Amino acid sequence: MTTRRKFLASAGVGAVGASLAAPAIASGKITWKMQTYAGAALAEHVITPAIDMFNKIAGDRMEIELYYADQLVPTGELFRAMQNGTIDAVQSDDDSMASPTELSVFGGYFPFASRYSLDVPVLFNQYGLNEIWDEEYSAVGVKHISAGAWDPCHFATKDPIRSLADLQGKRVFTFPTAGRFLEQFGVVPVTLPWEDIEVAVQTGELDGIAWSGITEDYTVGWADVTNYFLTNNISGAWAGSFFTNLDRWNELPEDLQTLFRVCTDQSHYYRQWWYWGGEASLRVNGPKMELTSIPDEEWATVEGAAVKFWDEIAAESDLKARVVEIIKQYNADMVKAGRPYRYG
């Protein structure tokens, strides 16, 4: 694991002050520090191409220095660090970065809110979630740039899961909200630094992972330490966003703001096809994990429990109720629309 102590030690004393300072403007060049939730191997796909593109086009006007999971601050401290200006921008879901807003519960994998990756951008861009996110984050000094989809959420485990009973007592690394939902089926959620997960599975500290789809399992090495992949998922797509410190955002010239938006949109597009194609290809051709399934009639119990979970969340506040109502309306519309939106 790359800890803050190791990172700062390797950076050198002189670099430490610079690393954790407010953005530098030297010779007119704007420099931002940005941290992603992703480790290095995953970041090569989910963010590095977009930031490389930004830096190339921005040239000598602006540079974004990209850091990976836990390099500058632990993932759970990302929001606070961005809010106070220690870092300038973040790529994460609301849940993982411990957003203090009421929206945190909807980040990452809100159970069964989506079936396909395209559901996420439609919810934000056509069903009103963008406006809610912008309002809530602006109120706490953060600019929500845009949301996009990642992969679906599946179990990767050491032992096979072929029924709900097989989930009992399984110690699983997952997102906070997903863990809260899965506890009713006997899952024991475990919180660890992202970079520690592979070793934790090897040592038996974890029985499995419910953090990603199969593409990510192969990309980051989890397929090397787990034996089975459960085809049932608890959400069709991870919902994550790009955020910036609001003051830093307002300081940017309009054309650099536009360039940042364009590059984040390119990141969202890249992930759409990279994950969508990878999930299918690795299920068919991947040699490392055996596929298992829980029968549809049994899995319907989990889907039914998700709707009850939505109502529990909605009862917590008017804002959460507003978001849940949008999710319900969207899914009802998709069912009415029929193929290819919802069927089976």
Side-chain angles (χ1 to χ4, degrees):
M1 171 186 171
T2 303
T3 64
R4 266 188 303 176
R5 180 170 294 181
K6 290 179 182 176
F7 172 78
L8 295 177
S10 63
V13 176
V16 172
S19 293
L20 299 183
I25 303 179
S27 304
K29 185 172 184 176
I30 301 168
T31 302
W32 272 14
K33 299 196 182 311
M34 180 177 194
Q35 185 170 310
T36 175
Y37 77 99
L42 183 61
E44 284 300 312
H45 292 280
V46 302
I47 189 170
T48 299
I51 300 305
D52 287 347
M53 179 187 301
F54 179 93
N55 288 336
K56 183 176 182 179
I57 297 171
D60 59 4
R61 295 184 62 199
M62 182 171 176
E63 180 180 6
I64 298 175
E65 298 173 355
L66 180 62
Y67 297 90
Y68 303 137
D70 304 311
Q71 279 193 315
L72 290 179
V73 297
T75 298
E77 297 176 16
L78 277 176
F79 181 89
R80 295 298 185 191
M82 173 175 52
Q83 186 183 42
N84 66 30
T86 300
I87 55 179
D88 307 295
V90 164
Q91 180 201 40
S92 178
D93 67 279
D94 315 70
D95 211 8
S96 297
M97 72 176 185
S99 167
T101 73
E102 292 187 39
L103 301 175
S104 62
V105 70
F106 300 106
Y109 294 115
F110 191 62
F112 295 96
S114 64
R115 179 175 290 194
Y116 306 119
S117 56
L118 279 174
D119 291 338
V120 173
V122 174
L123 276 163
F124 275 86
N125 294 304
Q126 294 187 3
Y127 276 70
L129 294 191
N130 265 340
E131 290 75 13
I132 295 174
W133 260 245
D134 183 66
E135 180 180 347
E136 290 302 304
Y137 279 104
S138 294
V140 291
V142 167
K143 177 66 176 175
H144 177 258
I145 303 300
S146 61
W150 274 248
D151 46 344
C153 185
H154 293 260
F155 284 88
T157 54
K158 297 174 75 172
D159 298 322
I161 305 296
R162 296 191 173 96
S163 71
L164 291 181
D166 291 335
L167 293 175
Q168 289 289 330
K170 292 292 188 294
R171 294 160 297 178
V172 174
F173 172 66
T174 190
F175 291 83
T177 300
R180 174 180 166 184
F181 171 69
L182 290 169
E183 280 182 311
Q184 64 187 293
F185 302 103
V187 172
V188 180
V190 178
T191 301
L192 291 170
W194 191 90
E195 294 285 358
D196 288 355
I197 303 311
E198 185 173 346
V199 173
V201 175
Q202 289 176 305
T203 61
E205 185 177 356
L206 289 173
D207 299 305
I209 303 159
W211 177 272
S212 68
I214 200 168
T215 306
E216 202 157 308
D217 291 335
Y218 272 79
T219 302
V220 305
W222 294 339
D224 297 325
V225 295
T226 55
N227 302 315
Y228 298 93
F229 179 85
L230 181 65
T231 60
N232 311 76
N233 64 58
I234 65 166
S235 184
W238 189 80
S241 298
F242 289 92
F243 304 87
T244 72
N245 175 282
L246 185 58
D247 289 338
R248 298 291 82 76
W249 176 256
N250 289 335
E251 290 168 1
L252 287 185
E254 186 177 356
D255 62 333
L256 288 178
Q257 289 181 347
T258 300
L259 176 59
F260 189 79
R261 288 187 182 277
V262 168
C263 291
T264 58
D265 281 346
Q266 175 63 26
S267 175
H268 294 319
Y269 171 68
Y270 182 108
R271 278 181 275 100
Q272 284 282 351
W273 60 259
W274 183 67
Y275 275 121
W276 185 257
E279 296 301 302
S281 177
L282 288 170
R283 286 193 190 194
V284 175
N285 303 307
K288 295 181 180 179
M289 292 191 288
E290 179 182 336
L291 304 185
T292 64
S293 296
I294 295 175
D296 289 344
E297 57 273 17
E298 190 175 1
W299 193 247
T301 302
V302 184
E303 294 176 341
V307 177
K308 294 179 181 178
F309 183 76
W310 293 359
D311 290 337
E312 291 174 12
I313 297 299
E316 294 176 355
S317 74
D318 291 341
L319 179 63
K320 290 178 180 178
R322 185 178 166 198
V323 175
V324 168
E325 184 56 36
I326 289 173
I327 292 171
K328 284 185 174 182
Q329 183 62 59
Y330 175 76
N331 279 279
D333 289 349
M334 295 301 102
V335 170
K336 291 177 182 177
R339 297 174 184 269
Y341 299 95
R342 295 287 187 274
Y343 59 93

